[in-house]
Amino acid sequence: VIEFTAGSEDRKGIIPVENSSGGIIYDTIDALIADEAGLKIQEELGIAVKLAFLGRKDEPIERIYSHFAPIRHCHLWIRRNYPDARVQILSSTSESVRRAAQEKNAAAIASRDSAAIYGLSVLEYPIEAGIPNVTNFFTLGHEDNRAGKDTSLIVQLKNQFGSLHEFLGPFARHGVNLKRIISRNVIGQPNTYVFFVGVEASLAEEKMQRAMAEAYDIAHSIRSLGSYPVLDPVSSDTLSV
């Protein structure tokens, strides 16, 4: 997605960043860190996902496919209803439905609408509806934003004692809340880490500017992915595949 979006200034991309059951999507964080095109986050949006169990009626289920986040969200349901089935994690829910459609005695956990695309039946819907299941996405583009509710930063700290504690200080002193701090190792550089930092403030706010001015002096490097609005979650029932 990032490579495609970077290919033209009129392109936009959307990538998942976090799921309320499965946690951070580390492939997304790593891709943003590695991005050399300098893409910016345009907005953050959430989808409250309702999951369906897709397969063929009156066929014993021996294998269940899905992405790791739905599997984690539904693991108790799977244990209660299909304790003997083999669960396999694939790269996406669409790939999971495709595999289930090609094999006997297989099912998938995915969106309800994908059943018709691959010729499967909706065996149960929704699964674990009483447990919130929200996936947050970033929309990516080339515009450099400063307005919006949140800001994301990619930070490399100096490899010295107390550097993370020192970096956090300016944000605490100026009343800026950090909602994500994700550590990722730097390939080829043992004991060296880059942090993906989510900040609940805009680069246009004075308190954020003061905190950033101090943080730049402390960190080895800081790259901003821009400030962007955070939209209210929408239900997957309102979307189509």
Side-chain angles (χ1 to χ4, degrees), residues 5-191:
T5 307
S8 175
E9 290 192 359
D10 62 353
R11 291 176 180 172
K12 295 287 191 296
I14 182 168
I15 52 176
V17 64
E18 186 174 12
N19 176 266
S20 59
S21 295
I24 292 294
I25 312 297
Y26 288 105
D27 287 348
T28 291
I29 301 302
D30 291 342
L32 289 172
I33 290 172
D35 172 38
E36 296 181 354
L39 295 177
K40 303 294 184 180
I41 300 172
Q42 306 300 305
E43 63 184 8
E44 181 176 341
L45 57 93
I47 299 177
V49 180
K50 292 183 179 179
L51 297 167
F53 191 61
L54 311 179
R56 283 171 285 271
K57 294 180 179 179
D58 303 320
E59 184 174 281
I61 303 300
E62 298 176 357
R63 294 173 304 284
I64 299 173
Y65 298 112
S66 196
H67 183 262
F68 86 90
I71 290 295
R72 185 167 179 179
H73 180 76
C74 299
H75 74 281
L76 292 178
W77 181 88
I78 295 171
R79 187 183 302 173
R80 290 193 304 267
N81 293 278
Y82 299 93
D84 298 324
R86 179 169 61 88
V87 177
Q88 184 171 345
I89 295 173
L90 298 182
S91 60
S92 68
T93 54
S94 59
E95 172 64 13
S96 301
V97 181
R98 187 186 69 81
R99 284 280 296 273
Q102 292 176 340
E103 301 176 11
K104 287 186 176 181
N105 306 114
I109 297 174
S111 69
R112 180 175 55 176
D113 291 345
S114 59
I117 297 174
Y118 292 94
L120 295 177
S121 298
V122 178
L123 303 181
E124 184 158 342
Y125 177 85
I127 305 173
E128 299 287 40
I131 304 173
N133 182 36
V134 177
T135 299
N136 292 330
F137 296 82
F138 285 151
T139 301
L140 302 178
H142 296 263
E143 294 84 359
D144 191 4
N145 296 333
R146 293 184 64 83
K149 178 181 177 181
D150 282 22
T151 301
S152 286
L153 308 171
I154 295 173
V155 180
Q156 185 168 351
L157 300 177
K158 299 171 184 177
N159 191 10
Q160 62 188 35
F161 178 79
S163 59
L164 178 57
H165 180 270
E166 189 177 3
F167 172 77
L168 298 177
F171 297 95
R173 287 192 294 272
H174 294 288
V176 177
N177 185 50
L178 306 183
K179 71 174 187 179
R180 293 187 182 110
I181 304 178
I182 304 164
S183 173
R184 304 300 290 159
N185 63 300
V186 179
I187 297 175
Q189 299 182 41
N191 301 315

Side-chain angles (χ1 to χ4, degrees), residues 193-226:
Y193 300 88
V194 172
F195 294 88
F196 183 91
V197 181
V199 186
E200 289 188 327
S202 168
L203 291 168
E205 295 181 55
E206 184 177 352
K207 65 178 182 179
M208 180 64 166
Q209 293 172 2
R210 290 179 178 177
M212 288 291 290
E214 295 181 27
Y216 274 114
D217 291 335
I218 295 168
H220 179 272
S221 65
I222 299 177
R223 174 159 60 96
S224 171
L225 299 181

